[in-house]
Amino acid sequence: MTGPNIDPEQQMAYVKKAFARLARLGTQIVVFGSGGARQVPDGFPKDQAFQQLVAFGKRIAPEARARGITVAVEPLRRQETNIINSAAEGLTLVNAIDDAGFQLMIDFYHLASEKEDPAVILRARAQIRHLHVANPEGRVFPLKWDEYDYAPFFAALRTIGYDKRISVEASTKDLAVDAPQAIALLRRAFQ
């Protein structure tokens, strides 16, 4: 996705094939989260890499829209990639692409790991299309309200009236026990 050896034609061939398959499955949201794919090579200018991501987004967004798909960029913590590490940076990318087919997703685990202020949600309100949630301590299912300070994150979401997709992206040793607790926590969070 970034660096001196990108091939926009090859990227588009892959995207068209993947989006056609995803559309047949009824997919509506595709998360662009691959840190390795967008990793900026050592010595390559980060601002140039950002512009490459903007150009990529501008190419794929119309393809996504034509198939009823929205691409949602996922900011990842620095341990996973060296570009788009915060929701604010993700929002900057979304705004630079400026196409309804390319929007933002926010992962609470990454937001908390990067110590980003959840108030970014207020600025990104119109562009957020999907959320991931996990307890940042261990990246496990969120089970209890007092196990972590979830309140500012969910308060911001309630403030903007968030009513779109949310999923738990976390590990568990007992899905049958943890899933109902996580669902209960999420329901409480939106009350």
Short mmCIF file of all heavy atoms in Angstrom, two decimals, residues 7-67:
data_model
loop_
_atom_site.label_atom_id
_atom_site.label_comp_id
_atom_site.label_asym_id
_atom_site.label_seq_id
_atom_site.Cartn_x
_atom_site.Cartn_y
_atom_site.Cartn_z
N ASP A 7 1.82 -0.85 -6.88
CA ASP A 7 1.29 -1.07 -8.22
C ASP A 7 -0.22 -0.83 -8.17
O ASP A 7 -0.98 -1.74 -7.84
CB ASP A 7 1.61 -2.49 -8.68
CG ASP A 7 1.15 -2.77 -10.10
OD1 ASP A 7 0.31 -2.02 -10.64
OD2 ASP A 7 1.65 -3.76 -10.67
N PRO A 8 -0.67 0.40 -8.48
CA PRO A 8 -2.10 0.71 -8.41
C PRO A 8 -2.98 -0.21 -9.25
O PRO A 8 -4.09 -0.55 -8.84
CB PRO A 8 -2.19 2.15 -8.89
CG PRO A 8 -0.85 2.73 -8.57
CD PRO A 8 0.12 1.59 -8.80
N GLU A 9 -2.50 -0.65 -10.40
CA GLU A 9 -3.30 -1.54 -11.24
C GLU A 9 -3.50 -2.89 -10.56
O GLU A 9 -4.59 -3.45 -10.58
CB GLU A 9 -2.66 -1.71 -12.62
CG GLU A 9 -2.78 -0.46 -13.48
CD GLU A 9 -2.16 -0.64 -14.86
OE1 GLU A 9 -2.01 -1.81 -15.31
OE2 GLU A 9 -1.85 0.39 -15.48
N GLN A 10 -2.45 -3.41 -9.96
CA GLN A 10 -2.55 -4.68 -9.25
C GLN A 10 -3.47 -4.53 -8.03
O GLN A 10 -4.27 -5.41 -7.74
CB GLN A 10 -1.16 -5.17 -8.83
CG GLN A 10 -1.18 -6.54 -8.18
CD GLN A 10 0.22 -7.00 -7.78
OE1 GLN A 10 1.13 -6.19 -7.59
NE2 GLN A 10 0.38 -8.30 -7.64
N GLN A 11 -3.34 -3.41 -7.34
CA GLN A 11 -4.23 -3.16 -6.20
C GLN A 11 -5.69 -3.19 -6.64
O GLN A 11 -6.53 -3.82 -6.01
CB GLN A 11 -3.92 -1.80 -5.56
CG GLN A 11 -2.61 -1.72 -4.83
CD GLN A 11 -2.29 -0.30 -4.40
OE1 GLN A 11 -2.94 0.67 -4.80
NE2 GLN A 11 -1.26 -0.16 -3.57
N MET A 12 -5.99 -2.48 -7.73
CA MET A 12 -7.38 -2.40 -8.19
C MET A 12 -7.89 -3.74 -8.70
O MET A 12 -9.07 -4.06 -8.50
CB MET A 12 -7.53 -1.32 -9.25
CG MET A 12 -7.44 0.09 -8.69
SD MET A 12 -8.50 0.39 -7.24
CE MET A 12 -10.12 0.18 -7.97
N ALA A 13 -7.06 -4.52 -9.33
CA ALA A 13 -7.48 -5.85 -9.78
C ALA A 13 -7.91 -6.70 -8.57
O ALA A 13 -8.95 -7.36 -8.59
CB ALA A 13 -6.36 -6.54 -10.56
N TYR A 14 -7.11 -6.63 -7.51
CA TYR A 14 -7.43 -7.37 -6.29
C TYR A 14 -8.72 -6.83 -5.66
O TYR A 14 -9.61 -7.60 -5.29
CB TYR A 14 -6.27 -7.28 -5.30
CG TYR A 14 -6.61 -7.91 -3.97
CD1 TYR A 14 -6.48 -9.28 -3.79
CD2 TYR A 14 -7.07 -7.13 -2.91
CE1 TYR A 14 -6.80 -9.87 -2.58
CE2 TYR A 14 -7.40 -7.72 -1.69
CZ TYR A 14 -7.26 -9.08 -1.53
OH TYR A 14 -7.60 -9.66 -0.34
N VAL A 15 -8.82 -5.51 -5.53
CA VAL A 15 -9.98 -4.89 -4.90
C VAL A 15 -11.26 -5.22 -5.66
O VAL A 15 -12.28 -5.58 -5.05
CB VAL A 15 -9.78 -3.35 -4.78
CG1 VAL A 15 -11.08 -2.63 -4.47
CG2 VAL A 15 -8.73 -3.04 -3.72
N LYS A 16 -11.24 -5.13 -6.96
CA LYS A 16 -12.44 -5.42 -7.75
C LYS A 16 -12.88 -6.87 -7.56
O LYS A 16 -14.07 -7.14 -7.39
CB LYS A 16 -12.20 -5.12 -9.23
CG LYS A 16 -12.16 -3.63 -9.52
CD LYS A 16 -11.87 -3.38 -10.99
CE LYS A 16 -11.81 -1.87 -11.25
NZ LYS A 16 -11.62 -1.57 -12.67
N LYS A 17 -11.94 -7.78 -7.57
CA LYS A 17 -12.25 -9.19 -7.37
C LYS A 17 -12.81 -9.42 -5.96
O LYS A 17 -13.83 -10.09 -5.79
CB LYS A 17 -10.99 -10.03 -7.60
CG LYS A 17 -11.20 -11.51 -7.54
CD LYS A 17 -9.88 -12.21 -7.87
CE LYS A 17 -10.02 -13.70 -7.95
NZ LYS A 17 -8.73 -14.36 -8.26
N ALA A 18 -12.14 -8.86 -4.96
CA ALA A 18 -12.58 -9.04 -3.57
C ALA A 18 -13.94 -8.40 -3.33
O ALA A 18 -14.82 -9.02 -2.71
CB ALA A 18 -11.54 -8.45 -2.62
N PHE A 19 -14.14 -7.18 -3.81
CA PHE A 19 -15.42 -6.51 -3.59
C PHE A 19 -16.57 -7.24 -4.29
O PHE A 19 -17.68 -7.30 -3.76
CB PHE A 19 -15.36 -5.06 -4.05
CG PHE A 19 -14.63 -4.13 -3.12
CD1 PHE A 19 -14.48 -2.80 -3.45
CD2 PHE A 19 -14.09 -4.56 -1.92
CE1 PHE A 19 -13.82 -1.91 -2.60
CE2 PHE A 19 -13.42 -3.70 -1.07
CZ PHE A 19 -13.28 -2.37 -1.41
N ALA A 20 -16.31 -7.79 -5.47
CA ALA A 20 -17.36 -8.55 -6.17
C ALA A 20 -17.77 -9.76 -5.33
O ALA A 20 -18.97 -10.06 -5.19
CB ALA A 20 -16.87 -8.98 -7.55
N ARG A 21 -16.80 -10.44 -4.77
CA ARG A 21 -17.10 -11.60 -3.92
C ARG A 21 -17.83 -11.18 -2.65
O ARG A 21 -18.80 -11.83 -2.23
CB ARG A 21 -15.81 -12.34 -3.56
CG ARG A 21 -15.19 -13.06 -4.73
CD ARG A 21 -13.88 -13.69 -4.34
NE ARG A 21 -13.33 -14.46 -5.44
CZ ARG A 21 -12.15 -15.04 -5.41
NH1 ARG A 21 -11.36 -14.93 -4.34
NH2 ARG A 21 -11.72 -15.73 -6.46
N LEU A 22 -17.35 -10.12 -2.03
CA LEU A 22 -17.98 -9.63 -0.80
C LEU A 22 -19.42 -9.18 -1.04
O LEU A 22 -20.30 -9.42 -0.22
CB LEU A 22 -17.15 -8.49 -0.20
CG LEU A 22 -15.78 -8.92 0.34
CD1 LEU A 22 -14.91 -7.70 0.60
CD2 LEU A 22 -15.94 -9.76 1.60
N ALA A 23 -19.66 -8.54 -2.17
CA ALA A 23 -21.02 -8.10 -2.50
C ALA A 23 -21.95 -9.29 -2.65
O ALA A 23 -23.10 -9.25 -2.20
CB ALA A 23 -21.01 -7.25 -3.76
N ARG A 24 -21.46 -10.37 -3.26
CA ARG A 24 -22.29 -11.58 -3.41
C ARG A 24 -22.65 -12.16 -2.05
O ARG A 24 -23.70 -12.78 -1.90
CB ARG A 24 -21.57 -12.62 -4.26
CG ARG A 24 -21.60 -12.30 -5.74
CD ARG A 24 -21.26 -13.49 -6.62
NE ARG A 24 -19.99 -14.13 -6.31
CZ ARG A 24 -18.81 -13.81 -6.84
NH1 ARG A 24 -18.73 -12.82 -7.70
NH2 ARG A 24 -17.73 -14.47 -6.52
N LEU A 25 -21.79 -11.97 -1.07
CA LEU A 25 -22.06 -12.45 0.29
C LEU A 25 -22.97 -11.50 1.08
O LEU A 25 -23.40 -11.82 2.17
CB LEU A 25 -20.74 -12.64 1.06
CG LEU A 25 -19.83 -13.74 0.56
CD1 LEU A 25 -18.48 -13.66 1.26
CD2 LEU A 25 -20.47 -15.11 0.78
N GLY A 26 -23.20 -10.31 0.54
CA GLY A 26 -24.03 -9.32 1.24
C GLY A 26 -23.25 -8.46 2.23
O GLY A 26 -23.85 -7.79 3.07
N THR A 27 -21.94 -8.44 2.12
CA THR A 27 -21.10 -7.65 3.01
C THR A 27 -21.37 -6.16 2.81
O THR A 27 -21.45 -5.69 1.69
CB THR A 27 -19.61 -7.95 2.74
OG1 THR A 27 -19.38 -9.34 2.93
CG2 THR A 27 -18.70 -7.14 3.63
N GLN A 28 -21.51 -5.44 3.92
CA GLN A 28 -21.76 -4.00 3.85
C GLN A 28 -20.59 -3.17 4.35
O GLN A 28 -20.41 -2.04 3.92
CB GLN A 28 -23.02 -3.66 4.65
CG GLN A 28 -24.26 -4.30 4.09
CD GLN A 28 -25.47 -4.08 4.96
OE1 GLN A 28 -25.36 -3.83 6.16
NE2 GLN A 28 -26.64 -4.16 4.37
N ILE A 29 -19.80 -3.73 5.26
CA ILE A 29 -18.64 -3.01 5.83
C ILE A 29 -17.40 -3.88 5.64
O ILE A 29 -17.41 -5.06 5.98
CB ILE A 29 -18.81 -2.73 7.34
CG1 ILE A 29 -20.06 -1.92 7.63
CG2 ILE A 29 -17.56 -2.07 7.91
CD1 ILE A 29 -19.97 -0.46 7.27
N VAL A 30 -16.35 -3.28 5.11
CA VAL A 30 -15.05 -3.93 5.00
C VAL A 30 -14.08 -3.09 5.81
O VAL A 30 -13.91 -1.90 5.55
CB VAL A 30 -14.56 -4.02 3.53
CG1 VAL A 30 -13.12 -4.50 3.46
CG2 VAL A 30 -15.48 -4.92 2.73
N VAL A 31 -13.47 -3.70 6.81
CA VAL A 31 -12.51 -2.98 7.65
C VAL A 31 -11.13 -3.03 7.01
O VAL A 31 -10.63 -4.12 6.70
CB VAL A 31 -12.49 -3.56 9.08
CG1 VAL A 31 -11.39 -2.90 9.92
CG2 VAL A 31 -13.85 -3.39 9.75
N PHE A 32 -10.55 -1.86 6.80
CA PHE A 32 -9.19 -1.74 6.28
C PHE A 32 -8.28 -1.57 7.49
O PHE A 32 -8.02 -0.47 7.94
CB PHE A 32 -9.11 -0.55 5.33
CG PHE A 32 -7.73 -0.25 4.80
CD1 PHE A 32 -6.81 -1.25 4.52
CD2 PHE A 32 -7.36 1.06 4.55
CE1 PHE A 32 -5.55 -0.96 4.02
CE2 PHE A 32 -6.10 1.37 4.06
CZ PHE A 32 -5.20 0.37 3.80
N GLY A 33 -7.85 -2.72 8.01
CA GLY A 33 -7.07 -2.68 9.23
C GLY A 33 -5.69 -3.28 9.11
O GLY A 33 -4.92 -3.21 10.04
N SER A 34 -5.36 -3.87 7.99
CA SER A 34 -4.10 -4.58 7.86
C SER A 34 -2.90 -3.65 8.06
O SER A 34 -2.55 -2.86 7.18
CB SER A 34 -4.01 -5.24 6.49
OG SER A 34 -2.75 -5.84 6.34
N GLY A 35 -2.29 -3.76 9.23
CA GLY A 35 -1.13 -2.92 9.52
C GLY A 35 0.06 -3.24 8.63
O GLY A 35 0.78 -2.34 8.19
N GLY A 36 0.26 -4.52 8.34
CA GLY A 36 1.37 -4.91 7.49
C GLY A 36 1.24 -4.38 6.08
O GLY A 36 2.22 -3.97 5.46
N ALA A 37 0.00 -4.36 5.57
CA ALA A 37 -0.22 -3.89 4.20
C ALA A 37 0.07 -2.41 4.05
O ALA A 37 0.50 -1.98 2.99
CB ALA A 37 -1.66 -4.19 3.77
N ARG A 38 -0.16 -1.65 5.08
CA ARG A 38 0.05 -0.21 4.96
C ARG A 38 1.34 0.28 5.62
O ARG A 38 1.63 1.48 5.62
CB ARG A 38 -1.17 0.56 5.48
CG ARG A 38 -1.43 0.43 6.95
CD ARG A 38 -2.73 1.16 7.30
NE ARG A 38 -2.90 1.31 8.71
CZ ARG A 38 -4.03 1.03 9.35
NH1 ARG A 38 -5.08 0.61 8.70
NH2 ARG A 38 -4.11 1.20 10.65
N GLN A 39 2.12 -0.63 6.18
CA GLN A 39 3.38 -0.28 6.85
C GLN A 39 4.27 0.54 5.92
O GLN A 39 4.52 0.14 4.78
CB GLN A 39 4.10 -1.57 7.27
CG GLN A 39 5.41 -1.37 7.96
CD GLN A 39 5.27 -1.00 9.42
OE1 GLN A 39 4.22 -1.14 10.01
NE2 GLN A 39 6.34 -0.48 10.00
N VAL A 40 4.75 1.66 6.40
CA VAL A 40 5.64 2.52 5.62
C VAL A 40 7.05 1.95 5.69
O VAL A 40 7.59 1.75 6.78
CB VAL A 40 5.62 3.98 6.14
CG1 VAL A 40 6.54 4.86 5.30
CG2 VAL A 40 4.20 4.53 6.19
N PRO A 41 7.66 1.65 4.55
CA PRO A 41 9.02 1.10 4.56
C PRO A 41 10.02 2.08 5.19
O PRO A 41 9.87 3.30 5.08
CB PRO A 41 9.34 0.90 3.07
CG PRO A 41 8.03 0.90 2.36
CD PRO A 41 7.13 1.77 3.17
N ASP A 42 11.03 1.53 5.83
CA ASP A 42 12.09 2.35 6.42
C ASP A 42 12.67 3.27 5.36
O ASP A 42 12.95 2.85 4.24
CB ASP A 42 13.21 1.47 7.00
CG ASP A 42 12.77 0.71 8.24
OD1 ASP A 42 11.79 1.13 8.88
OD2 ASP A 42 13.42 -0.31 8.56
N GLY A 43 12.84 4.54 5.73
CA GLY A 43 13.44 5.52 4.84
C GLY A 43 12.49 6.15 3.85
O GLY A 43 12.86 7.09 3.15
N PHE A 44 11.25 5.65 3.78
CA PHE A 44 10.27 6.22 2.85
C PHE A 44 9.54 7.35 3.56
O PHE A 44 9.16 7.22 4.73
CB PHE A 44 9.28 5.14 2.40
CG PHE A 44 8.43 5.55 1.23
CD1 PHE A 44 8.95 5.51 -0.06
CD2 PHE A 44 7.13 5.98 1.41
CE1 PHE A 44 8.17 5.87 -1.15
CE2 PHE A 44 6.35 6.35 0.33
CZ PHE A 44 6.86 6.30 -0.95
N PRO A 45 9.36 8.49 2.91
CA PRO A 45 8.71 9.64 3.57
C PRO A 45 7.27 9.32 3.98
O PRO A 45 6.46 8.89 3.17
CB PRO A 45 8.73 10.73 2.51
CG PRO A 45 9.76 10.30 1.51
CD PRO A 45 9.77 8.80 1.54
N LYS A 46 6.99 9.56 5.25
CA LYS A 46 5.66 9.23 5.78
C LYS A 46 4.57 10.08 5.12
O LYS A 46 3.47 9.58 4.88
CB LYS A 46 5.64 9.42 7.30
CG LYS A 46 4.46 8.76 7.95
CD LYS A 46 4.62 8.70 9.46
CE LYS A 46 3.45 7.97 10.07
NZ LYS A 46 3.57 7.87 11.52
N ASP A 47 4.86 11.33 4.81
CA ASP A 47 3.84 12.16 4.16
C ASP A 47 3.52 11.64 2.76
O ASP A 47 2.38 11.68 2.31
CB ASP A 47 4.24 13.64 4.12
CG ASP A 47 5.56 13.90 3.40
OD1 ASP A 47 6.41 13.00 3.32
OD2 ASP A 47 5.72 15.03 2.89
N GLN A 48 4.52 11.10 2.07
CA GLN A 48 4.29 10.51 0.76
C GLN A 48 3.47 9.22 0.90
O GLN A 48 2.58 8.95 0.09
CB GLN A 48 5.62 10.23 0.05
CG GLN A 48 5.45 9.80 -1.39
CD GLN A 48 6.80 9.63 -2.10
OE1 GLN A 48 7.85 10.07 -1.63
NE2 GLN A 48 6.77 8.99 -3.24
N ALA A 49 3.76 8.43 1.93
CA ALA A 49 2.99 7.21 2.18
C ALA A 49 1.53 7.56 2.48
O ALA A 49 0.62 6.88 2.00
CB ALA A 49 3.60 6.44 3.35
N PHE A 50 1.32 8.63 3.25
CA PHE A 50 -0.05 9.06 3.54
C PHE A 50 -0.77 9.42 2.25
O PHE A 50 -1.92 9.02 2.04
CB PHE A 50 -0.05 10.25 4.52
CG PHE A 50 -1.43 10.71 4.86
CD1 PHE A 50 -2.16 10.08 5.85
CD2 PHE A 50 -2.00 11.79 4.19
CE1 PHE A 50 -3.45 10.51 6.17
CE2 PHE A 50 -3.28 12.22 4.50
CZ PHE A 50 -4.01 11.58 5.49
N GLN A 51 -0.10 10.13 1.36
CA GLN A 51 -0.72 10.49 0.08
C GLN A 51 -1.01 9.25 -0.77
O GLN A 51 -2.01 9.22 -1.51
CB GLN A 51 0.15 11.50 -0.68
CG GLN A 51 0.17 12.88 -0.05
CD GLN A 51 -1.23 13.44 0.22
OE1 GLN A 51 -2.12 13.37 -0.63
NE2 GLN A 51 -1.42 14.00 1.40
N GLN A 52 -0.17 8.23 -0.65
CA GLN A 52 -0.45 6.98 -1.35
C GLN A 52 -1.73 6.33 -0.80
O GLN A 52 -2.53 5.79 -1.56
CB GLN A 52 0.73 6.01 -1.22
CG GLN A 52 1.93 6.42 -2.04
CD GLN A 52 3.12 5.51 -1.80
OE1 GLN A 52 3.36 5.02 -0.69
NE2 GLN A 52 3.90 5.28 -2.87
N LEU A 53 -1.91 6.39 0.52
CA LEU A 53 -3.14 5.85 1.11
C LEU A 53 -4.36 6.66 0.68
O LEU A 53 -5.43 6.09 0.45
CB LEU A 53 -3.03 5.81 2.64
CG LEU A 53 -2.02 4.81 3.21
CD1 LEU A 53 -1.96 4.94 4.74
CD2 LEU A 53 -2.38 3.38 2.81
N VAL A 54 -4.20 7.97 0.58
CA VAL A 54 -5.30 8.82 0.10
C VAL A 54 -5.67 8.41 -1.34
O VAL A 54 -6.85 8.22 -1.66
CB VAL A 54 -4.95 10.32 0.17
CG1 VAL A 54 -5.99 11.17 -0.55
CG2 VAL A 54 -4.79 10.77 1.62
N ALA A 55 -4.66 8.28 -2.18
CA ALA A 55 -4.92 7.90 -3.58
C ALA A 55 -5.58 6.52 -3.65
O ALA A 55 -6.52 6.32 -4.44
CB ALA A 55 -3.61 7.92 -4.38
N PHE A 56 -5.12 5.60 -2.83
CA PHE A 56 -5.72 4.27 -2.79
C PHE A 56 -7.19 4.37 -2.37
O PHE A 56 -8.07 3.78 -3.01
CB PHE A 56 -4.95 3.37 -1.82
CG PHE A 56 -5.56 2.02 -1.61
CD1 PHE A 56 -5.51 1.06 -2.61
CD2 PHE A 56 -6.19 1.70 -0.42
CE1 PHE A 56 -6.07 -0.20 -2.42
CE2 PHE A 56 -6.76 0.45 -0.22
CZ PHE A 56 -6.69 -0.51 -1.22
N GLY A 57 -7.46 5.12 -1.33
CA GLY A 57 -8.84 5.30 -0.87
C GLY A 57 -9.73 5.92 -1.92
O GLY A 57 -10.88 5.50 -2.11
N LYS A 58 -9.20 6.90 -2.64
CA LYS A 58 -9.98 7.55 -3.71
C LYS A 58 -10.26 6.58 -4.86
O LYS A 58 -11.29 6.70 -5.53
CB LYS A 58 -9.25 8.79 -4.22
CG LYS A 58 -9.32 9.98 -3.26
CD LYS A 58 -8.60 11.18 -3.83
CE LYS A 58 -8.68 12.38 -2.91
NZ LYS A 58 -9.95 13.08 -2.99
N ARG A 59 -9.36 5.63 -5.08
CA ARG A 59 -9.59 4.63 -6.13
C ARG A 59 -10.62 3.58 -5.70
O ARG A 59 -11.47 3.18 -6.50
CB ARG A 59 -8.28 3.91 -6.50
CG ARG A 59 -7.32 4.73 -7.33
CD ARG A 59 -6.19 3.88 -7.91
NE ARG A 59 -5.42 3.14 -6.94
CZ ARG A 59 -4.37 3.63 -6.27
NH1 ARG A 59 -3.97 4.87 -6.48
NH2 ARG A 59 -3.71 2.89 -5.41
N ILE A 60 -10.54 3.13 -4.44
CA ILE A 60 -11.39 2.02 -4.04
C ILE A 60 -12.78 2.44 -3.56
O ILE A 60 -13.71 1.65 -3.63
CB ILE A 60 -10.72 1.12 -3.00
CG1 ILE A 60 -10.59 1.81 -1.64
CG2 ILE A 60 -9.38 0.61 -3.52
CD1 ILE A 60 -10.18 0.87 -0.51
N ALA A 61 -12.92 3.65 -3.07
CA ALA A 61 -14.21 4.08 -2.52
C ALA A 61 -15.35 3.98 -3.54
O ALA A 61 -16.42 3.46 -3.21
CB ALA A 61 -14.11 5.48 -1.94
N PRO A 62 -15.17 4.46 -4.78
CA PRO A 62 -16.25 4.31 -5.76
C PRO A 62 -16.58 2.84 -6.06
O PRO A 62 -17.74 2.49 -6.27
CB PRO A 62 -15.72 5.02 -7.01
CG PRO A 62 -14.68 5.95 -6.51
CD PRO A 62 -14.07 5.27 -5.32
N GLU A 63 -15.55 2.00 -6.08
CA GLU A 63 -15.77 0.56 -6.29
C GLU A 63 -16.60 -0.02 -5.15
O GLU A 63 -17.50 -0.84 -5.38
CB GLU A 63 -14.43 -0.19 -6.39
CG GLU A 63 -13.60 0.15 -7.58
CD GLU A 63 -14.19 -0.36 -8.89
OE1 GLU A 63 -14.95 -1.36 -8.88
OE2 GLU A 63 -13.90 0.25 -9.93
N ALA A 64 -16.30 0.39 -3.94
CA ALA A 64 -17.06 -0.08 -2.78
C ALA A 64 -18.50 0.39 -2.86
O ALA A 64 -19.44 -0.41 -2.74
CB ALA A 64 -16.39 0.42 -1.48
N ARG A 65 -18.69 1.69 -3.06
CA ARG A 65 -20.04 2.26 -3.13
C ARG A 65 -20.89 1.58 -4.19
O ARG A 65 -22.07 1.32 -3.99
CB ARG A 65 -19.98 3.76 -3.41
CG ARG A 65 -19.92 4.62 -2.19
CD ARG A 65 -20.08 6.10 -2.49
NE ARG A 65 -18.99 6.66 -3.28
CZ ARG A 65 -19.04 6.91 -4.59
NH1 ARG A 65 -20.13 6.69 -5.28
NH2 ARG A 65 -17.99 7.42 -5.21
N ALA A 66 -20.30 1.29 -5.34
CA ALA A 66 -21.03 0.67 -6.45
C ALA A 66 -21.58 -0.70 -6.06
O ALA A 66 -22.54 -1.18 -6.67
CB ALA A 66 -20.12 0.54 -7.68
N ARG A 67 -21.00 -1.30 -5.04
CA ARG A 67 -21.43 -2.63 -4.60
C ARG A 67 -22.14 -2.60 -3.24
O ARG A 67 -22.35 -3.63 -2.62
CB ARG A 67 -20.23 -3.57 -4.54
CG ARG A 67 -19.68 -3.87 -5.93
CD ARG A 67 -18.35 -4.61 -5.84
NE ARG A 67 -17.88 -5.01 -7.15
CZ ARG A 67 -17.27 -4.22 -8.01
NH1 ARG A 67 -17.06 -2.96 -7.72
NH2 ARG A 67 -16.86 -4.69 -9.18
#
